[in-house]
């Protein structure tokens, strides 16, 4: 395999061992990681996601057989069975995700986060259009990138302690030289992660207490950064257009970043799902469904109410009217 930026298989090169020509391929799986000619590891992430999805389907079959399994058990089983597959070799490929350090915590569209979000929405029993941020906040979950960055920094600290004559340390030193020459590589990802954390450390500074650094300056700080962003997002009123923020109700209910108590107290999955849909605006009221048809906010009125109020979670007419309550019957 000949690495090149074009992504093409360069057949003009020939390599032989003991007179036998080696096959020139566009991708190769080495130690469970799929490498391709570009040198980028995005396809490796997709491959890991596809493997994890097969395990996720099996897990969902097991969970579906028992409807009264607590939410916490669902999450623990995901972390024990699916997460290790998704984050295999994350110490290496996480650096490829640092194209923009400012948005890395908010990007929930990469392969691993997509599967994570799919599972979260499955156990909450909400549709795919439900807010990703709201689903994570309801469950008190953090994006998987938090674990990825933590593992990458831990691996970096481990490399820094290796003797200078080891192959791993020599490769790292070469990466530092390339980084100084403005050539992006794995060391660049480490540098970006330290800038994101704003910890005051750099790749050239020796860190004495590794465990304390990982706990306070990496893991806890990343979680606080995401919590801050999540609350800023649900309280954001600066969106352009006539849709505004769909989480206008949720921001009045959500005050802390943790697993909501009703998800543990309410045992009936349908009742639990109904309350969750109401809280995060994943229902069928016109205040939400009007978004899909590009209807102006003030025109998303209840089709039954005589006074033509906007059909939202606060409409008094909908709460007391028999006709309006019939629209909510599937949710009770």
């Amino acid at each position: 395999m000949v690495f090149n930026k074009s992504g093409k298989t360069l057949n003009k090169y020939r390599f032989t061992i003991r007179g036998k020509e080696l096959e020139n391929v566009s991708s190769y799986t080495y130690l469970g990681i799929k490498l391709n000619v570009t040198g980028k590891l995005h396809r490796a992430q997709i491959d890991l996601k596809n493997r994890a999805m097969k395990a996720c389907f099996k897990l969902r079959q097991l969970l579906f057989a028992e409807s009264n399994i607590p939410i916490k058990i669902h999450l623990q089983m995901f972390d024990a069975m699916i997460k290790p597959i998704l984050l295999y070799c994350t110490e290496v490929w996480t650096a490829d995700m640092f194209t923009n350090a400012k948005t890395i915590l908010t990007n929930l569209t990469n392969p691993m986060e997509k599967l994570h979000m799919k599972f979260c929405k499955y156990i909450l029993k909400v549709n795919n259009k439900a807010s990703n941020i709201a689903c994570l906040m309801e469950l008190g979950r953090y994006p998987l990138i938090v674990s990825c960055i933590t593992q990458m920094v831990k691996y970096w600290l481990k490399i820094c302690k290796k003797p200078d004559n080891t192959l791993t340390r020599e490769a790292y030193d070469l990466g530092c030289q390339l980084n100084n020459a403005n050539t992006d590589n794995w060391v660049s990802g480490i540098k970006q992660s330290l800038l994101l954390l704003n910890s005051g450390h750099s790749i050239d500074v020796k860190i004495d207490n590794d465990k304390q650094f990982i706990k306070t300056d990496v893991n806890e700080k990343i979680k606080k950064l995401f919590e801050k962003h999540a609350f800023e997002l649900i309280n954001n009123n600066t969106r352009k257009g006539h849709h505004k923020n769909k989480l206008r109700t949720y921001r009045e209910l959500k005050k802390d970043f943790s697993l909501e108590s009703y998800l543990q107290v309410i045992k009936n999955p349908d009742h639990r799902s109904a309350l969750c849909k109401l809280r995060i605006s994943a229902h069928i009221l016109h205040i939400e469904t009007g978004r899909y048809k590009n209807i102006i906010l003030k025109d998303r009125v209840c089709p039954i109410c005589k006074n033509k109020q906007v059909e939202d979670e606060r409409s008094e007419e909908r709460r007391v009217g028999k006709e309006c309550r019939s629209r909510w019957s599937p949710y009770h």
Side-chain angles (χ1 to χ4, degrees):
M1 183 167 64
V2 181
F3 292 99
N4 64 90
K5 291 184 178 180
S6 67
K8 300 178 181 178
T9 304
L10 303 180
N11 293 316
K12 63 180 180 179
Y13 298 100
R14 295 288 185 269
F15 299 91
T16 59
I17 294 181
R18 296 177 183 176
K20 292 184 179 180
E21 184 176 334
L22 298 178
E23 181 185 1
N24 193 359
V25 296
S26 59
S27 63
Y28 182 78
T29 301
Y30 178 70
L31 296 179
I33 290 294
K34 194 170 187 177
L35 306 175
N36 66 86
V37 292
T38 62
K40 298 296 183 181
L41 296 173
H42 179 70
R43 291 186 184 178
Q45 296 175 41
I46 296 175
D47 182 57
L48 291 173
K49 179 225 174 182
N50 292 336
R51 293 189 223 173
M53 190 177 292
K54 294 178 181 178
C56 195
F57 286 150
K58 184 63 178 178
L59 177 60
R60 286 173 59 173
Q61 289 176 359
L62 295 173
L63 296 175
F64 184 78
E66 296 290 339
S67 60
N68 293 323
I69 297 178
I71 290 287
K72 271 192 173 181
I73 300 299
H74 283 75
L75 298 175
Q76 288 174 2
M77 292 182 73
F78 179 89
D79 290 340
M81 301 175 64
I82 312 301
K83 187 177 176 181
I85 303 174
L86 280 174
L87 302 191
Y88 176 72
C89 204
T90 184
E91 299 89 346
V92 176
W93 53 254
T94 299
D96 268 11
M97 302 173 66
F98 273 92
T99 53
N100 189 342
K102 292 183 179 179
T103 61
I104 190 168
L105 289 178
T106 63
N107 180 16
L108 301 178
T109 60
N110 58 64
M112 63 173 182
E113 298 294 1
K114 281 184 178 180
L115 183 58
H116 183 210
M117 288 310 313
K118 191 172 183 178
F119 185 82
C120 290
K121 291 178 180 181
Y122 168 75
I123 61 177
L124 289 174
K125 289 193 172 184
V126 296
N127 59 49
N128 291 331
K129 293 181 180 179
S131 168
N132 291 339
I133 291 291
C135 290
L136 289 176
M137 294 180 75
E138 282 294 271
L139 294 169
R141 298 280 291 183
Y142 296 93
L144 297 181
I145 190 63
V146 173
S147 299
C148 292
I149 296 175
T150 302
Q151 290 298 109
M152 183 177 68
V153 175
K154 285 175 68 175
Y155 185 58
W156 167 65
L157 293 173
K158 183 178 180 180
I159 291 177
C160 290
K161 289 186 175 181
K162 288 185 174 294
D164 293 339
N165 60 348
T166 58
L167 186 60
T168 307
R169 184 55 188 266
E170 288 179 359
Y172 171 72
D173 291 338
L174 179 59
C176 291
Q177 295 175 22
L178 292 172
N179 178 68
N180 293 333
N182 297 322
T183 301
D184 290 338
N185 59 88
W186 184 81
V187 177
S188 306
I190 292 293
K191 186 177 180 180
Q192 288 291 323
S193 65
L194 295 176
L195 290 173
L196 172 69
L197 297 170
N198 194 24
S199 61
H201 295 88
S202 69
I203 58 175
D204 302 319
V205 177
K206 183 178 179 181
I207 298 172
D208 297 324
N209 193 335
D210 291 3
K211 291 184 178 180
Q212 186 64 26
F213 175 74
I214 290 294
K215 181 179 179 181
T216 59
D217 284 17
V218 180
N219 195 270
E220 292 180 3
K221 187 166 285 189
I222 298 176
K223 289 181 177 180
K224 288 180 181 179
L225 283 173
F226 178 74
E227 289 178 20
K228 180 182 177 182
H229 163 75
F231 280 105
E232 286 177 351
L233 191 63
I234 67 174
N235 288 292
N236 179 23
N237 287 319
T238 60
R239 289 189 61 180
K240 296 181 180 180
H242 51 257
H243 291 308
K244 305 302 180 184
N245 193 336
K246 68 176 289 181
L247 299 176
R248 59 179 69 83
T249 300
Y250 187 61
R251 63 189 175 199
E252 297 182 15
L253 303 172
K254 190 67 175 178
K255 301 303 179 184
D256 62 324
F257 198 100
S258 61
L259 176 66
E260 288 298 323
S261 58
Y262 77 88
L263 293 173
Q264 304 177 74
V265 174
I266 301 177
K267 303 302 181 183
N268 188 304
D270 293 329
H271 295 173
R272 192 167 59 211
S273 172
L275 181 55
C276 179
K277 289 176 181 178
L278 180 63
R279 284 170 56 91
I280 68 174
S281 297
H283 41 60
I284 60 169
L285 296 179
H286 281 190
I287 189 69
E288 171 62 14
T289 58
R291 294 165 53 85
Y292 313 148
K293 301 176 182 178
N294 209 31
I295 299 175
I296 298 175
L297 183 62
K298 66 178 182 180
D299 292 337
R300 301 176 196 171
V301 297
C302 177
I304 300 176
C305 295
K306 296 179 181 179
N307 58 4
K308 296 300 179 182
Q309 289 184 351
V310 173
E311 189 181 33
D312 60 10
E313 300 86 353
R314 292 175 172 274
S315 175
E316 293 297 330
E317 180 71 15
R318 189 190 66 251
R319 291 178 183 175
V320 298
K322 292 181 180 179
E323 299 87 353
C324 296
R325 279 205 304 269
S326 67
R327 281 172 53 77
W328 277 82
S329 58
Y331 292 92
H332 288 284

